[in-house]
Amino acid sequence: MVTSVLPEFAINLTDGRTEPYGSGLINTTWRVFTGSQDYILQRINQQVFRDPQKIADNVRKIGDYLRKNHPDYPFVLPIQTKSRQELAFVEGMGYYRLSPFVKGSTSLDVVENPDEAYEAALQFGRFAARLSELNPSALHITIPDFHNLRLRYDQFRQSLIKGNRERIAASGKAIEDIEAFTFIVSGYDSICNDPAYKIRVMHHDTKISNVLLDRNNKGMCVIDLDTMMPGHFFSDAGDMLRTYLSPVSEEETDLSLNHIRKEIFEAIVKGYLVEMRDELTMAEKRSFIFAGKIMIYMQAIRFLADHFNDDIYYGARYPGHNYYRALNQIDLLKKLQREEPELEKILHQHINTNK
């Protein structure tokens, strides 16, 4: 099935092969080996991205902008089809995108040390800084309300009314914990109404696997631009905190392994501010930790709401999967709040330095 798509991009796979690639949960990805040049082929998930052409338009606009204003930035531009389209549509199969595989590049699934966190934060900061003069309104919204915490909280409240009564009854402590953090929703509302928090072109998915590294583990560029769209700083900064700070992922059920690595936090702040120090407002810099709270809390309530709604969005690989994911994120949020005084000292040290 995959090989039948490649002729749309004028690629003959007679002497090549394909294999599944990466750990992404949304799009389906393959690496294409042709002998002379390798490629990355992706099928766009239309259950998540209802209008794939909006993604293609955004990537083209970003590529054009960078080529004109920052030609030194190593932007990975998708390959056009034979009919000069960014996406290939195959009846009964969907939309596909093809990009060159960057030779000598690699990516990580887990942040293991401060150097990796620093390189990733540096690259996401560099990308955001390069796009700081691009008008956010020029880009499409590829996923409406993707990081709208107020909406997610309202959806959670609806799940308590309409959801699985047995699951709700068995989740009293988790619900109590969620309600104890509703101040985060109020803080989110304040940010969205405060002009000191600018609407920017944000990546919205800053997990470390979306950074390409060279053979020396130095950052090269960021990839996976499907969620590039207008947003607030907390989407990128907060998602790095959510996905880098703990040595284990949201899938871990042994919560004793879930903890905040202060050295990773410092590496994220240092790396991001190298590029974004002059772009972020002081209000944004001071809210760096709160950005992490927003993203962790949002994921916790989304997991718990999906559990109550019988796993209709994320699905479940085992009974209670989304419930345990929610517990993981609630635990991470509690531990972030517990370590906040020490993290604030680190943050302000780097805000107040020019290095």
Side-chain angles (χ1 to χ4, degrees):
M1 183 175 68
V2 175
T3 55
S4 66
V5 176
L6 295 173
E8 297 291 325
F9 296 97
I11 291 181
N12 185 345
L13 204 62
T14 302
D15 299 319
R17 61 187 174 86
T18 66
E19 63 180 34
Y21 184 79
S23 58
L25 300 178
I26 298 178
N27 296 328
T28 307
T29 306
W30 299 266
R31 184 170 174 178
V32 181
F33 300 85
T34 67
S36 57
Q37 167 71 57
D38 293 350
Y39 301 91
I40 296 296
L41 178 70
Q42 286 189 307
R43 181 172 60 214
I44 308 299
N45 185 336
Q46 285 187 262
Q47 296 298 314
V48 176
F49 300 103
R50 299 302 177 89
D51 188 348
Q53 192 57 50
K54 289 183 177 180
I55 297 173
D57 290 346
N58 283 356
V59 172
R60 184 181 66 252
K61 289 174 183 176
I62 291 168
D64 290 346
Y65 177 86
L66 290 172
R67 186 165 50 248
K68 178 181 178 180
N69 296 280
H70 301 283
D72 60 324
Y73 186 84
F75 185 69
V76 182
L77 194 65
I79 294 169
Q80 292 188 330
T81 66
K82 291 186 294 186
S83 57
R84 301 185 65 80
Q85 302 298 311
E86 281 79 13
L87 298 174
F89 177 73
V90 180
E91 192 69 40
M93 295 170 59
Y95 287 88
Y96 290 77
R97 170 179 56 215
L98 187 74
S99 303
F101 180 83
V102 179
K103 291 183 179 180
S105 69
T106 186
S107 62
L108 305 172
D109 288 329
V110 178
V111 173
E112 294 187 350
N113 58 63
D115 288 342
E116 294 169 355
Y118 176 87
E119 288 296 325
L122 181 71
Q123 288 303 318
F124 282 116
R126 181 169 297 163
F127 195 51
R130 295 296 184 276
L131 297 174
S132 61
E133 298 299 321
L134 175 61
N135 187 346
S137 64
L139 299 183
H140 299 291
I141 304 293
T142 57
I143 304 180
D145 295 310
F146 186 40
H147 287 168
N148 183 337
L149 180 58
R150 170 56 66 181
L151 174 66
R152 300 304 185 186
Y153 179 71
D154 290 344
Q155 290 173 335
F156 167 73
R157 295 299 305 175
Q158 282 297 306
S159 75
L160 292 176
I161 297 171
K162 299 180 179 180
N164 184 309
R165 306 317 301 172
E166 183 177 345
R167 292 186 175 190
I168 294 169
S171 305
K173 183 60 170 64
I175 296 169
E176 180 182 322
D177 286 338
I178 290 295
E179 296 295 1
F181 282 98
T182 54
F183 69 89
I184 298 176
V185 183
S186 299
Y188 163 87
D189 290 339
S190 296
I191 285 175
C192 292
N193 291 302
D194 188 339
Y197 296 87
K198 299 181 179 181
I199 299 295
R200 306 173 180 277
V201 177
M202 292 280 95
H203 188 281
H204 287 91
D205 188 11
T206 53
K207 59 180 180 284
I208 198 168
S209 60
N210 284 334
V211 176
L212 292 184
L213 304 170
D214 65 17
R215 291 185 175 92
N216 297 314
N217 269 358
K218 296 297 182 181
M220 300 173 70
C221 61
V222 304
I223 57 172
D224 197 354
L225 308 184
D226 295 347
T227 53
M228 286 293 300
M229 54 184 165
H232 285 93
F233 90 102
F234 63 73
S235 288
D236 285 13
D239 201 41
M240 283 190 286
L241 297 185
R242 189 184 81 81
T243 57
Y244 300 1
L245 287 181
S246 177
V248 296
S249 77
E250 63 206 20
E251 300 294 337
E252 181 58 61
T253 57
D254 182 353
L255 300 185
S256 69
L257 302 177
N258 214 11
H259 65 269
I260 303 298
R261 297 179 288 180
K262 298 185 185 70
E263 70 279 11
I264 299 295
F265 174 80
E266 183 167 20
I268 296 169
V269 172
K270 286 173 63 178
Y272 203 63
L273 289 184
V274 165
E275 298 288 347
M276 290 294 285
R277 180 180 302 280
D278 296 332
E279 300 295 338
L280 295 175
T281 67
M282 184 54 70
E284 289 170 323
K285 293 174 189 175
R286 290 172 175 165
S287 299
F288 209 91
I289 298 170
F290 192 73
K293 291 183 180 181
I294 289 175
M295 297 306 297
I296 297 169
Y297 184 67
M298 188 177 330
Q299 201 57 61
I301 61 178
R302 293 190 69 186
F303 282 143
L304 197 55
D306 200 39
H307 176 66
F308 295 157
N309 291 330
D310 294 322
D311 311 304
I312 59 174
Y313 184 82
Y314 290 109
R317 294 198 300 270
Y318 60 86
H321 190 180
N322 286 308
Y323 173 73
Y324 289 109
R325 284 166 158 170
L327 294 187
N328 175 294
Q329 294 294 280
I330 291 169
D331 179 73
L332 184 63
L333 182 58
K334 289 179 178 180
K335 289 172 178 173
L336 177 62
Q337 180 154 288
R338 187 183 310 153
E339 299 292 345
E340 187 169 6
E342 291 301 313
L343 299 181
E344 283 285 355
K345 292 177 184 178
I346 295 171
L347 176 64
H348 286 288
Q349 176 187 345
H350 289 286
I351 287 177
N352 295 325
T353 182
N354 291 323
K355 297 180 180 179

